[in-house]
Amino acid sequence: MDMNQYIEVFIEESKEHLQTCSEQLLVLEKNPEDLSIVNEIFRSAHTLKGMSATMGYEDLANLTHKMENVLDAIRNSQIALSPELFDVIFLAVDDLEAMVMSIAEGGDGKRNVKDVVHQLEMIEKGESPFSSTIAEIAAASAILEKKEMFAGEYDEFEWTVLQQSKDQGFNSFEISIGLREDCLLKAARVFMVFDVLEKSGEVIKSHPPVELLEEEQFDRQFMVTMVTTESGEEIKKKIMKVTEVVQVVVNALDLESMLHAANSNEDKVTEILKQESNNALLPTDNDDKKKQAPVKPASNKTIRVNIERLDILMNLFEELVIDRGRLDQISRDLDNQELHETVERMSRITSDLQTIVLNMRMVPVETVFNRFPKMVRQLARDLNKKVNLEINGAKTELDRTVIDEIGDPLVHLIRNAMDHGIETTEERLAKGKNEEGKILLKAYHSGNHVFIEIEDDGAGINKDRVLNKALSNGILTKETAATLTDKQIYELIFASGFSTAETISDVSGRGVGLDVVKNTIESLGGSVTIDSKENEGSIFLIQLPLTLSIISVMLVAIQNEKYAIPLSSIIETAIIKKADIMNAHNQQVIDYRGKVLPLLFLKDIFEVPISQEEEESLSVVIVRKGDKLAGLVVDSFIGQLEIVLKSLGNYLTSAFAISGATILGDGQVALIIDCNTLIH
Amino acid sequence: MSEDMKVIVFQIKDKEYAIPVDKVSGIEKLLHITRVPKAVKFVKGVINLRGVITPIIDLRVRFGFEEVEYDESTRIIVVILDDMEVGLIVDSANDVLDIPVESIEPQPEVVGHLASEYISGVAKIEKRLLVLINLEKALILEMTEKMLREG
């Protein structure tokens, strides 16, 4: 069978399942008593195992299988949870992720996972992968054997039914049914078995639950508990008649000893409850979990679309926008009323369409954020710090192209906050802070922008240290240093080759500085600022445009050339008289509402060939970069329009003060001015 | 058995040059070129090539010849280099030839003003002398970036 057509679906779903595993493992680590979380992880791992085996990725399937065994032992309470155990499982998930990534990149998904497999096997056997004694092994395997029979426990209702049945002379059995390995229609066999059982008595409970059995969410074995008047032997014979059933084990239920076990379980439960009531946060977490869980599988009316198809749609739509511009121009030239109306209506439809197309490309920032909890956990362990990561607004949506780029800068900033920001536990206690540091990762919309904040309650930025470092690196002179505001000092850490880390650690200071973060964000048309208070923490604020592909611009003419200036940088336009221009230090300036504004003559800066007479008044576009303003002098304003942003291609990567190009209604190319590089 | 190489033949300043046909995605008549400020001299600007912004290089300038006015016979040869599409302005282009591989000789020491590093060889077909251009070397980014820095 040709598997290529399924590979994309396989990769996507594998990633989702691994994401679920990571997320739920983190939840489980915080709520070790809640074994329903283990079930969820188990289900994801199990599905992943099945999928990878079907696709022929044996290594992937094997490792998942080993992990699954451990998870199974956890949910059957055979293994106690410990941070080390979580480390091993996280390692396994990391390996699985690497394998899936390798498959996604066209590899074979093979990877040396001997160590992890070995550790998992040790855990599964009940040995500690780190230190083990024979006694421990023996004890653990004893538990294993005992518990092998039935994993489910009975709730109050089921318990009552069992007891009442016994009083009325019914027999209670736990029956384990094994299907043939190559059984194709597992759900059908389950149905047939249930059919048989229901003719002989009543099924009280099954493991896994009936819904999962129907979805074939089980390996080859399942178990049921039933009450009947028939004998165990009779039941066994009847079930064996069902095709593809290879094994039936019938055990009579000993209600007396179960009662005993249940009592001790109850003790455990009350103990857990006590613990939970001590921690006010835990129960709410659990509630959330329960509310979310059932929503997931049902009524999911979405389809998965390949991003390439959306890109094609986007490109076609861009062509449409360009032609719309062209039509608009023609209709204005022809001055025909009917044409006007048609074009106008078409414009409205295309704007609606534009909103829809853009929305389709919107992805919740969650897809980037959800890798951070695991990263923070691991980093906290590596750095021996206590850190709590809080995520807000993960549902905030951003254009896919931005999402793809924003991951690395965020990783960098979070690492930075963990390494330089959050202090060690001792330092925090000495400062009278909560020993657990806090990082808040927040995303939200505002106007045409998306903001992402990374806030920590760590040490903040030491101004003197930054200044000294900047002076010794020659980034700054003593004279300028004295004039800087606090904010400007903080921004120095974005200068290239700047690191305040005293020692170069594994986590940061590996030559890639915050300057890379700043560059990446600015290349996306965004900006990043810092605010900090010593000993209280720092906030990094990233501002990003909603989408990169269609923007509003002001089209201007400079001699015979046309340029586009993004509206997001424009404050206003003005016509000024030549007489109002003043000179200051070889720089021509104007008085703009009481502020001295430098004038930039674009025809000189861009060396535009002169072909027209100059006029007495100047058209000025007032633009800003941060809180700095400047006036761009052009020859005339053409008007505002929506354009499709296109890159200049790989060949012209370093065009001066140009951030891209667009195609105008007449088919010509207009360059888009990058105001950020024009204002220093 | 001799192997043939299919090439596009074009003219610059009475000389004939050749590019392997598999590197060429099309030959266009002159389109409106938008100047890119402060770009290297031989980059004349960008054009809208069916929706794709394509940079345009004047091969005369690239090879150090004097510039001439573009006319009716001026052509843009669009070549694909790695993932880049680049248009080359040439005086005219009107021939596709099969040249036997063994007729290609290694580059001579000096061929006019043309820096010999841009040439991968010469081929003599009957009385015509074709100069085979090494596109990678003639257009690579390091070259343009270096020239950008040096102005």
Side-chain angles (χ1 to χ4, degrees), chain A residues 111-178:
Chain A
R111 190 179 164 86
N112 183 1
V113 291
K114 231 169 63 194
D115 288 348
V116 176
V117 167
H118 180 66
Q119 286 179 342
L120 286 172
E121 278 171 349
M122 301 254 291
I123 293 174
E124 191 194 336
K125 282 183 202 144
E127 296 168 34
S128 156
F130 314 98
S131 67
S132 58
T133 63
I134 296 164
E136 268 177 66
I137 304 165
S141 48
I143 299 172
L144 252 170
E145 269 163 37
K146 209 169 149 196
K147 284 271 186 174
E148 208 161 63
M149 192 49 214
F150 199 71
E153 284 155 358
Y154 301 97
D155 62 27
E156 208 175 314
F157 173 73
E158 291 157 352
W159 189 244
T160 319
V161 174
L162 282 172
Q163 269 188 325
Q164 282 177 354
S165 318
K166 196 196 168 209
D167 294 344
Q168 290 167 16
F170 285 89
N171 298 323
S172 312
F173 295 113
E174 277 186 357
I175 308 165
S176 150
I177 298 127

Side-chain angles (χ1 to χ4, degrees), chain A residues 319 322 561-563 604-609 646-656 658 661-664 667-671, chain B residues 32 34-40 42-43 45-48 50-53 55 57 81 83-86 138-141 144-145 148:
Chain A
E319 298 300 309
I322 289 163
E561 297 183 354
K562 286 173 191 165
Y563 289 89
D604 299 334
I605 293 171
F606 287 159
E607 296 159 357
V608 183
K646 300 206 170 209
S647 102
L648 281 180
N650 297 333
Y651 194 77
L652 285 174
T653 41
S654 46
F656 168 75
I658 299 297
T662 188
I663 296 166
L664 299 176
Q668 292 187 11
V669 180
L671 301 176
Chain B
H32 180 271
T34 301
R35 193 181 64 92
V36 177
K38 299 209 173 177
V40 244
F42 60 80
V43 174
V46 289
I47 57 164
N48 164 20
R50 287 175 289 275
V52 179
I53 309 281
I57 285 168
L81 207 72
D83 281 336
M84 299 176 281
E85 277 201 339
V86 179
L139 305 178
I140 40 169
L141 275 173
T144 50
E145 267 166 16
L148 258 180

Side-chain angles (χ1 to χ4, degrees), chain A residues 291 381 428 486:
Chain A
K291 270 178 227 151
R381 280 180 72 83
R428 292 186 66 88
D486 285 2

Side-chain angles (χ1 to χ4, degrees), chain A residues 408-570:
Chain A
D408 289 342
L410 287 180
V411 167
H412 216 90
L413 288 175
I414 291 177
R415 279 170 168 275
N416 184 69
M418 299 219 26
D419 199 19
H420 303 315
I422 308 277
E423 313 92 328
T424 59
T425 315
E426 300 84 58
E427 280 172 326
R428 292 186 66 88
L429 288 174
K431 284 179 184 172
K433 289 184 183 177
N434 190 340
E435 65 168 347
E436 191 179 52
K438 199 176 95 179
I439 294 180
L440 176 65
L441 183 59
K442 192 160 81 177
Y444 53 92
H445 280 291
S446 177
N448 259 336
H449 288 90
V450 169
F451 290 85
I452 300 177
E453 276 180 35
I454 297 134
E455 182 180 350
D456 67 66
D457 67 346
I461 297 170
N462 185 325
K463 270 188 290 179
D464 297 334
R465 227 165 84 186
V466 173
L467 275 180
N468 288 338
K469 188 88 183 184
L471 289 171
S472 68
N473 281 2
I475 297 171
L476 207 65
T477 62
K478 270 220 162 77
E479 293 74 51
T480 41
T483 65
L484 292 181
T485 63
D486 285 2
K487 252 196 154 145
Q488 284 169 320
I489 295 173
Y490 300 143
E491 289 193 355
L492 285 174
I493 65 172
F494 284 125
S496 78
F498 198 94
S499 172
T500 47
E502 300 289 311
T503 49
I504 288 173
S505 69
D506 248 2
V507 179
S508 52
R510 284 174 302 185
V512 193
L514 287 173
D515 55 324
V516 180
V517 171
K518 191 177 159 84
N519 288 344
T520 314
I521 290 168
E522 284 183 350
S523 74
L524 292 172
S527 63
V528 53
T529 52
I530 319 171
D531 206 1
S532 179
K533 258 197 187 143
E534 218 174 332
N535 286 328
E536 283 179 33
S538 323
I539 303 178
F540 287 82
L541 179 66
I542 298 170
Q543 180 182 351
L544 292 165
L546 265 187
T547 175
L548 294 179
S549 36
I550 296 185
I551 58 170
S552 295
V553 295
M554 160 78 91
L555 201 63
V556 298
I558 305 166
Q559 299 293 328
N560 287 331
E561 297 183 354
K562 286 173 191 165
Y563 289 89
I565 305 172
L567 275 196
S568 56
S569 340
I570 298 179

Side-chain angles (χ1 to χ4, degrees), chain A residues 1 7 19 37 43 59 117 133 136 164 171 193 308 326 352 355 359 374 391 443 471 486 511 575 595-596 623 631 663:
Chain A
M1 184 161 54
I7 192 126
Q19 186 56 41
I37 303 171
R43 271 200 295 279
D59 287 11
V117 167
T133 63
E136 268 177 66
Q164 282 177 354
N171 298 323
V193 170
E308 270 172 38
R326 175 94 181 112
D352 290 350
T355 320
N359 274 336
K374 202 168 97 187
I391 292 179
L471 289 171
D486 285 2
I575 309 276
K595 241 180 148 179
V596 177
V623 294
I663 296 166

Side-chain angles (χ1 to χ4, degrees), chain A residues 97-237:
Chain A
E97 270 171 3
M99 285 161 138
V100 172
M101 284 317 288
S102 127
I103 293 167
E105 280 153 18
D108 54 5
K110 289 201 186 304
R111 190 179 164 86
N112 183 1
V113 291
K114 231 169 63 194
D115 288 348
V116 176
V117 167
H118 180 66
Q119 286 179 342
L120 286 172
E121 278 171 349
M122 301 254 291
I123 293 174
E124 191 194 336
K125 282 183 202 144
E127 296 168 34
S128 156
F130 314 98
S131 67
S132 58
T133 63
I134 296 164
E136 268 177 66
I137 304 165
S141 48
I143 299 172
L144 252 170
E145 269 163 37
K146 209 169 149 196
K147 284 271 186 174
E148 208 161 63
M149 192 49 214
F150 199 71
E153 284 155 358
Y154 301 97
D155 62 27
E156 208 175 314
F157 173 73
E158 291 157 352
W159 189 244
T160 319
V161 174
L162 282 172
Q163 269 188 325
Q164 282 177 354
S165 318
K166 196 196 168 209
D167 294 344
Q168 290 167 16
F170 285 89
N171 298 323
S172 312
F173 295 113
E174 277 186 357
I175 308 165
S176 150
I177 298 127
L179 298 175
R180 251 170 57 184
E181 199 161 350
D182 55 352
C183 176
L184 282 176
L185 295 162
K186 292 198 288 186
R189 302 304 164 214
V190 171
F191 177 77
M192 289 163 79
V193 170
F194 271 69
D195 205 34
V196 169
L197 294 177
E198 271 154 12
K199 275 178 194 149
S200 319
E202 200 183 336
V203 176
I204 309 284
K205 189 181 173 77
S206 76
H207 174 81
V210 183
E211 312 89 68
L212 294 184
L213 287 174
E214 280 170 358
E215 288 168 20
E216 303 200 346
Q217 299 261 10
F218 67 104
D219 204 9
R220 279 170 45 218
Q221 276 213 326
F222 63 97
M223 307 187 67
V224 292
T225 305
M226 73 175 300
V227 291
T228 174
T229 49
E230 296 176 28
S231 75
E233 249 340 273
E234 281 172 305
I235 301 280
K236 183 173 175 172
K237 267 190 211 157

